Amino acid sequence: MTGVPASATGGTGAKPVPGGKLGAAAVNQASLWNIANILTMVRLVLVPVFVVLLFHGDGYDPAWRAWAWAAFAVAMITDIFDGHLARTYNLVTDFGKIADPIADKAIMAAGLIGLSLLGDLPWWVTAVILARELGITLMRFWVIRHGVIAASRGGKLKTLAQGTAVGMYVLALTGPLATLRFWVMAVAVVLTVVTGLDYVRQAVVLRRAGLEAERAGAGTPVESSR
């Protein structure tokens, strides 16, 4: 027995049509709990875990900093896999579109702000990176009706550099490794600024093209740019 009255299926006891509203709703509800979304939720949960581990005690215990690094590393790894799985196996959902960038920004912001509060990272570095991330996110919404700005190779390198640099700063490194992490962070900051400017250029071009297409479709003469 299915628990569904026969009358609900036309009195024949047949199963609902897969393409019907009931079937579609069931599919949408089930699709929320896919592996990509679960990894995104794990990353969200890891944000407060990372913060607690980073600030445990006086915030400078090498052992606890190592545990904080482990939480941060797992979060960054899930960031790589959830997007890949969603695209490869068609697991893209509205929840994932919203939660994934939030989780990405949350773990990175937690690392940057936490390190600056502990005095390990200059506040201007944190400000530059977070301002870029927030600005590009808002810009994506600004042009979303005209199209989507795809992640570039430079953007992916920027994310890798940021994650590597923050991870190295979370660890209690000394000597040459401490010097190395400084240069890795310098590269991350440069990539952050350069790719940010490139996204701005793409957004302006995309919006201009979208507006011109709308005017052409409405029969309105397109003004020449000055």
Side-chain angles (χ1 to χ4, degrees), residues 66-142:
W67 282 110
W69 174 86
F72 183 82
V74 171
M76 296 305 294
I77 290 171
T78 62
D79 179 30
I80 297 173
F81 282 102
D82 63 357
H84 174 73
L85 290 170
R87 291 186 298 271
T88 302
Y89 298 101
N90 195 26
L91 301 176
V92 179
T93 63
D94 290 338
F95 170 81
K97 292 177 183 177
I98 297 173
D100 182 66
I102 290 176
D104 297 345
K105 302 300 184 291
I107 189 65
M108 186 58 65
L112 291 166
I113 294 173
L115 290 168
S116 291
L117 287 172
L118 290 172
D120 293 339
L121 189 66
W123 275 105
W124 71 265
V125 173
T126 296
V128 168
I129 294 177
L130 292 185
R132 185 271 191 196
E133 298 302 329
L134 178 60
I136 295 303
T137 299
L138 294 176
M139 188 167 295
R140 286 181 184 274
F141 285 110
W142 180 53

Side-chain angles (χ1 to χ4, degrees):
M1 295 179 64
T2 62
V4 180
S7 59
T9 59
T12 62
K15 295 181 180 180
V17 179
K21 292 182 179 179
L22 216 84
V27 170
N28 289 337
Q29 184 177 6
S31 66
L32 174 65
W33 295 100
N34 61 59
I35 184 63
N37 285 346
I38 290 174
L39 288 176
T40 298
M41 287 184 274
V42 167
R43 190 157 71 260
L44 285 169
V45 171
L46 282 172
V47 174
V49 173
F50 164 75
V51 172
V52 170
L53 293 172
L54 181 64
F55 285 96
H56 189 274
D58 61 358
Y60 296 100
D61 188 313
W64 287 103
R65 292 286 285 259
W67 282 110
W69 174 86
F72 183 82
V74 171
M76 296 305 294
I77 290 171
T78 62
D79 179 30
I80 297 173
F81 282 102
D82 63 357
H84 174 73
L85 290 170
R87 291 186 298 271
T88 302
Y89 298 101
N90 195 26
L91 301 176
V92 179
T93 63
D94 290 338
F95 170 81
K97 292 177 183 177
I98 297 173
D100 182 66
I102 290 176
D104 297 345
K105 302 300 184 291
I107 189 65
M108 186 58 65
L112 291 166
I113 294 173
L115 290 168
S116 291
L117 287 172
L118 290 172
D120 293 339
L121 189 66
W123 275 105
W124 71 265
V125 173
T126 296
V128 168
I129 294 177
L130 292 185
R132 185 271 191 196
E133 298 302 329
L134 178 60
I136 295 303
T137 299
L138 294 176
M139 188 167 295
R140 286 181 184 274
F141 285 110
W142 180 53
V143 299
I144 194 168
R145 71 188 183 97
H146 302 296
V148 177
I149 303 176
S152 64
R153 182 175 299 178
K156 294 176 181 177
L157 286 175
K158 177 270 303 179
T159 301
L160 177 61
Q162 285 182 359
T164 303
V166 171
M168 293 180 73
Y169 269 86
V170 170
L171 289 171
L173 300 178
T174 57
L177 288 177
T179 302
L180 176 62
R181 72 181 182 183
F182 168 83
W183 290 108
V184 175
M185 181 61 77
V187 171
V189 171
V190 171
L191 287 173
T192 296
V193 174
V194 171
T195 56
L197 293 174
D198 183 58
Y199 275 122
V200 171
R201 180 191 62 79
Q202 291 185 59
V204 171
V205 171
L206 182 62
R207 186 171 186 274
R208 183 178 299 169
L211 291 175
E212 290 179 352
E214 289 177 359
R215 291 166 182 165
T220 304
V222 179
E223 296 181 1
S224 59
S225 57
R226 296 182 180 179

